[in-house]
Amino acid sequence: MINRHFLMAAPVLFALFVGWPDALLLAAPHQQLSLRARIHKSYLDIVQSHAALSEIMSFMNSRPDLFSKAHPERQRLLSRDQRMTIWQTWQRFLDHMIALDLLGQQYEALERKGIEGLENALFYGRYAVFLTQYRYALEFIRIAERDSILHTVLNDPVPEIGLPGGTYSNLKSDFLNVAKAAQFAQMDLKYRISDPGPPEAIAHSIEEDSEYIWDAGKGAGPLATLKNALTIARDAGHKTWLPVQKQVAEWMGDTKLWRTHQSLISGDQIEGMHPLLEPGDIFLTRREWYLSNIGMPGFWPHSALYVGTPEERKKYFDKDPGVTVWTKMHGIKSGDFEALLQKKYPDAYKENQVQDPGAGTPKIVEATGDGVSLVSLKTTASADSLAVLRPRLPKLAKARAVLRAFHYKGRPYDFDFDFRTDSKLVCTELIYKAYEPEPHIAGLMLPLQEILGREIMTANDLVRLFDKEYEMETRQLDLVVFLDGDETDKKAYLNTPQAFRKSWKRPKWHILVADDALSQE
């Protein structure tokens, strides 16, 4: 079973560090408590990443057909599906390594500030990040080196899931060297003589990872460095080992701190798209600089369903004979769809009418880390890139999708990404089940893919489906609007269906990577 930390949901903020404003970095005395609280919150992010990487190792060990040569006497030939599973596993591993890398750089930046009273807290965080990366890099390499073919597969560029070429060689070069082992020995001794000890949140992972590394023998070579360890210099710096990491880190420093609570899509653009929307439309959104994108494959991490307001639905559904007959079959003699919604889900219906002066009426149902909830258009659309897809279905199918969305409202988020159960839902599972066909009512035939032992659908899969079917008369989805974020201009622009078709091929860090290098658009 996939651990809840393994596939991170898009709405769940994975690392609060990236949003710390400069005022907190300066840490005036009255801000110390807030900064200390954020540091301790970040420890939980390390633990989550640790758990995710552990799950990846477990998956690799459970698939000897992929990660262990079954017939050592001959070279094997992997199928495309096998290679894709390996690449997806590798991508998720890299996702969490990059997340840890960014956390480590934020700890280091704060350490350079020399904030009195926080030295140990920051060092413990930085050491826990270092150990988690080092330990799981060694473990991944140990598993991957069972079969020489994996060296080739893992170094392949895979633009459609955002993998540049040569990444596995870079990993081995960075983590299998004396300098890394010496850095470990240096930090380990500092940790042993630090007082007081580490917070409980990360103490276990520090001890476990340190023991693994010593047992692996990777720290044995530079033991001579310990004789000079009483004079411990600050670590020379947190090194990145992927080209994209360096760019991400630099842009994080320049950008995220400046627009922590801003989106590239403007309020005017959100208002402008409102008249274009219809109940049953599917939203896809992306927010840059959120490490919540970690673990979600592809450029588009999040989806939501537009249900509209009672007035919008009444205008859209009231005169449709199919909706009227279906509503009567559910016991509403008048055939009024609004009456059906109100009767079956009175609490959600009442919430759908509440007017928030700041955000507006809740008219979108989405699944986030807080569960399945009704939110405003402003809440969902305040993103950096956004697309709205419209199912090419009868109004009856859309009315049923709205009814199902109301049915799921209030259910918890499915951190296990298990599409087999309705008790908890992930964002794309809400879309999948809202539009699942049933006898006599059409639906969407949406793709499922197996990712690390789970059959799921991602938001990126919806775009891929749109691209695949675009030229077909039987295509299932139409594009209503595509607002494409441009980090350089700090704006989002209306883009074409052709550009949207290619967007599923973009890597996670699309805005940082040259098109000719990775996105191949």
Side-chain angles (χ1 to χ4, degrees):
M1 177 180 247
I2 294 180
N3 185 282
R4 61 174 291 181
H5 307 300
F6 184 49
L7 291 172
M8 300 300 294
V12 181
L13 186 60
F14 185 75
L16 292 179
F17 262 144
V18 296
W20 289 6
D22 285 334
L24 279 179
L25 296 182
L26 296 175
H30 68 280
Q31 296 168 329
Q32 285 275 350
L33 181 60
S34 176
L35 181 54
R36 187 180 295 276
R38 286 174 179 251
I39 292 171
H40 282 271
K41 168 62 178 71
S42 74
Y43 293 160
L44 300 181
D45 300 327
I46 299 172
V47 172
Q48 288 177 343
S49 199
H50 193 283
L53 289 166
S54 177
E55 286 290 340
I56 293 171
M57 299 305 112
S58 296
F59 175 78
M60 293 173 71
N61 283 317
S62 73
R63 293 296 303 271
D65 57 318
L66 300 177
F67 297 100
S68 181
K69 185 184 291 187
H71 303 286
E73 71 280 1
R74 70 173 189 267
Q75 187 82 353
R76 60 179 174 151
L77 184 64
L78 297 170
S79 69
R80 171 71 182 183
D81 287 344
Q82 287 177 314
R83 295 199 306 276
M84 183 55 72
T85 301
I86 292 170
W87 287 328
Q88 289 171 339
T89 306
W90 178 225
Q91 181 200 38
R92 277 153 189 75
F93 176 84
L94 294 181
D95 276 352
H96 290 285
M97 294 290 280
I98 291 173
L100 289 165
D101 206 62
L102 296 173
L103 274 174
Q105 291 181 47
Q106 293 294 326
Y107 283 125
E108 191 174 271
L110 287 170
E111 282 187 294
R112 286 196 296 268
K113 297 286 183 180
I115 304 170
E116 186 176 353
L118 294 179
E119 297 89 346
N120 276 353
L122 292 169
F123 169 74
Y124 288 136
R126 185 163 60 93
Y127 186 42
V129 164
F130 174 88
L131 287 176
T132 303
Q133 284 188 306
Y134 194 17
R135 178 258 174 91
Y136 285 110
L138 295 178
E139 192 165 349
F140 188 100
I141 292 168
R142 177 184 60 80
I143 296 172
E145 290 299 303
R146 294 171 182 169
D147 186 356
S148 60
I149 191 64
L150 292 176
H151 190 279
T152 301
V153 175
L154 294 171
N155 276 314
D156 275 347
V158 192
E160 61 265 38
I161 61 173
L163 278 178
T167 50
Y168 183 58
S169 291
N170 288 343
L171 178 81
K172 294 208 309 185
S173 175
D174 194 69
F175 286 95
L176 296 183
N177 64 66
V178 173
K180 185 69 71 175
Q183 186 180 359
F184 163 61
Q186 178 197 60
M187 295 181 77
D188 188 65
L189 182 60
K190 181 175 180 178
Y191 167 74
R192 300 298 170 191
I193 64 176
S194 294
D195 186 51
E200 182 178 351
I202 54 175
H204 176 73
S205 67
I206 287 177
E207 291 296 331
E208 177 186 306
D209 293 344
S210 177
E211 182 179 357
Y212 179 93
I213 294 167
W214 284 115
D215 288 347
K218 301 302 179 181
L223 282 176
T225 62
L226 291 175
K227 65 182 181 183
N228 299 319
L230 291 178
T231 306
I232 299 176
R234 181 167 292 150
D235 177 34
H238 198 90
K239 300 296 191 299
T240 58
W241 48 276
L242 280 175
V244 68
Q245 280 178 271
K246 182 176 186 294
Q247 297 176 57
V248 169
E250 289 172 352
W251 279 75
M252 286 289 252
D254 294 341
T255 305
K256 185 58 181 178
L257 293 179
W258 291 107
R259 66 173 191 89
T260 306
H261 301 295
Q262 299 175 14
S263 62
L264 299 182
I265 296 172
S266 69
D268 288 343
Q269 288 174 314
I270 295 173
E271 287 298 316
M273 81 169 73
H274 189 196
L276 304 175
L277 303 177
E278 295 178 356
D281 285 349
I282 298 169
F283 270 67
L284 304 176
T285 58
R286 175 179 175 82
R287 289 169 171 82
E288 303 292 355
W289 312 121
Y290 280 81
L291 297 188
S292 50
N293 295 340
I294 298 299
M296 293 297 295
F299 178 78
W300 294 98
H302 186 55
S303 61
L305 186 70
Y306 187 81
V307 298
T309 63
E311 294 75 22
E312 291 173 10
R313 290 191 299 270
K314 192 168 185 64
K315 180 180 178 181
Y316 186 71
F317 290 122
D318 257 11
K319 294 182 180 180
D320 185 84
V323 174
T324 300
V325 171
W326 178 73
T327 301
K328 288 181 178 180
M329 292 173 60
H330 280 76
I332 305 298
K333 293 183 179 180
S334 65
D336 181 9
F337 178 60
E338 288 304 299
L340 176 62
L341 275 179
Q342 188 171 16
K343 177 183 177 181
K344 291 182 71 70
Y345 308 109
D347 292 341
Y349 193 84
K350 183 177 181 181
E351 186 178 342
N352 185 220
Q353 296 175 294
V354 174
Q355 179 67 35
D356 185 325
T361 306
K363 56 182 70 176
I364 291 177
V365 178
E366 65 178 2
T368 70
D370 295 327
V372 181
S373 58
L374 270 161
V375 299
S376 69
L377 174 61
K378 181 179 179 181
T379 299
T380 294
S382 294
D384 296 323
S385 292
L386 173 151
V388 178
L389 293 172
R390 180 163 298 155
R392 305 181 81 197
L393 291 170
K395 289 185 178 182
L396 172 56
K398 297 180 182 182
R400 186 202 51 191
V402 170
L403 187 75
R404 285 180 175 176
F406 272 68
H407 174 72
Y408 290 127
K409 195 267 174 187
R411 299 200 180 183
Y413 191 81
D414 187 1
F415 288 96
D416 286 328
F417 278 61
D418 190 350
F419 274 47
R420 296 171 300 178
T421 175
D422 285 3
S423 60
K424 299 179 289 184
L425 284 89
V426 69
C427 65
T428 51
E429 187 179 1
L430 173 67
I431 304 300
Y432 184 87
K433 291 180 176 176
Y435 277 113
E436 197 168 13
E438 65 180 45
H440 311 299
I441 300 181
L444 293 176
M445 303 302 295
L446 299 177
L448 290 176
Q449 61 169 314
E450 183 176 321
I451 297 182
L452 305 173
R454 278 279 191 264
E455 279 200 333
I456 69 170
M457 181 188 74
T458 70
N460 216 50
D461 290 333
L462 287 170
V463 187
R464 189 171 186 170
L465 177 68
F466 176 85
D467 178 32
K468 178 182 178 181
E469 298 182 342
Y470 185 73
E471 305 290 347
M472 302 178 183
E473 292 184 4
T474 56
R475 67 183 183 274
Q476 300 183 79
L477 300 165
D478 287 327
L479 179 66
V480 178
V481 64
F482 174 31
L483 291 173
D484 201 1
D486 187 322
E487 190 68 47
T488 302
D489 291 346
K490 303 293 185 291
K491 295 179 181 179
Y493 296 97
L494 190 65
N495 213 335
T496 64
Q498 289 70 30
F500 178 67
R501 289 180 65 186
K502 298 176 182 178
S503 67
W504 68 270
K505 298 180 182 180
R506 297 175 181 178
K508 282 186 174 62
W509 309 111
H510 164 78
I511 55 176
L512 305 173
V513 183
D515 285 352
D516 59 352
L518 283 182
S519 61
Q520 292 189 357
E521 293 193 9

